[in-house]
Amino acid sequence: MKILVTVKRVVDYNVKIRVKPDGSGVELANVKMSMNPFDEISVEEALRLKEAGKATEVVVVSIGPAKAEETLRTGLAMGADRAILVETDAAVEPLAVAKILKGVVDAEQPSLVIVGKQAIDDDSNQTGQMLSALLGWSQGTFASKVELGADKATVTREVDGGLQTIDIKLPAVVTTDLRLNEPRYASLPNIMKAKKKPLDKKTPADFGVDITPRLTVLKTEEPAGRKAGIKVGSVAELVDKLKNEAGVL
Ligand code: AMP
């Protein structure tokens, strides 16, 4: 069974985001970029399924600039077998990403596609769901546990107030949540080996997908700074302030 894993190159989660002075977006020049954290969890899950003998091949795919090759090499260093880079310098919105991924799925015929639940740069939480709709496949979103059978997957989902367990028919799309696993680090020898693993290059046009944006970003703003806190002298003063100043009691 082949597993396709999507990996997006995003601003590293440790970086303090700065908005461009003209409000047109987020500053990306000279900023550390890494694999989207949910996608690291996806790669880890696919590798564990392969190590458990449930899958035979793990293919990582990314849509992005030439530098997204680094992100794919990270996936290969973790243990993926092959990589596909769909190269474009344009910012690609989730619908276009899902359409390109559908093209990759049509060519690769995986039984399972593992997608992060959300990219930490656009926070869309749309790609996996759109891909499953375009393919007409079942989906198990926000997975915190995945068990693979011959023709079905049992997925435990993180839902409001608890966990929901569902059976979905394969082929399927699963999106990963934080508690699914803890991704491994790539060892130095594996980083070296990853340089020699196969990486195919494509373009959105190869899949006949028009990536022209459908959304217009009106402005991007920093969140308002938090006001400094104060120390109160007694419980009575705290209750008084909550009642009469904050108006929350
Ligand atoms: P989003 O719907 O944008 O929040 O992204 C959800 C997930 O879709 C991410 O965690 C990735 O697994 C996948 N994804 C989104 N954009 C890309 C991209 N450009 N290349 C590869 N995977 C992507």
Side-chain angles (χ1 to χ4, degrees), residues 5-9 36 38-39 42 61-64 92-94 97 101 114-129 176:
V5 182
T6 59
V7 296
K8 185 176 186 186
R9 180 176 186 264
N36 185 46
F38 291 102
D39 301 345
S42 306
V61 55
S62 191
I63 297 143
V92 190
E93 291 173 357
V97 170
L101 291 175
I114 309 185
V115 181
K117 82 160 175 188
Q118 134 188 8
I120 61 165
D121 52 359
D122 62 22
D123 277 340
S124 297
N125 178 359
Q126 294 174 348
T127 307
Q129 293 89 328
T176 53

Side-chain angles (χ1 to χ4, degrees), residues 152-246:
K152 66 162 194 177
T154 304
V155 178
T156 303
R157 308 183 54 235
E158 304 234 345
V159 294
D160 269 358
L163 297 174
Q164 180 191 56
T165 305
I166 55 169
D167 268 351
I168 52 174
K169 220 169 69 186
L170 295 179
V173 176
V174 163
T175 74
T176 53
D177 217 319
L178 268 188
R179 273 168 286 267
L180 182 58
N181 61 47
E182 217 169 284
R184 69 194 65 187
Y185 290 103
S187 66
L188 194 58
N190 285 346
I191 293 173
M192 302 312 288
K193 271 191 226 154
K195 294 191 175 159
K196 298 212 174 96
K197 287 190 180 176
L199 187 144
D200 273 355
K201 287 193 181 167
K202 305 270 183 207
T203 66
D206 291 335
F207 301 100
V209 176
D210 175 10
I211 59 169
T212 314
R214 292 164 170 246
L215 309 175
T216 311
V217 176
L218 300 180
K219 62 177 174 179
T220 310
E221 297 176 277
E222 305 246 359
R226 282 178 66 169
K227 286 194 202 133
I230 53 158
K231 247 186 182 168
V232 290
S234 66
V235 173
E237 191 188 343
L238 173 66
V239 172
D240 177 65
K241 283 194 182 298
L242 289 175
K243 233 186 216 163
N244 301 317
E245 284 180 26

Side-chain angles (χ1 to χ4, degrees), residues 144-156:
S144 61
K145 190 170 174 198
V146 178
E147 285 168 299
L148 266 192
D151 55 3
K152 66 162 194 177
T154 304
V155 178
T156 303

Side-chain angles (χ1 to χ4, degrees), residues 54-75:
K54 304 272 183 191
T56 47
E57 191 183 24
V58 175
V59 181
V60 282
V61 55
S62 191
I63 297 143
K67 284 208 158 170
E69 178 168 341
E70 290 166 13
T71 314
L72 288 166
R73 295 275 173 213
T74 304

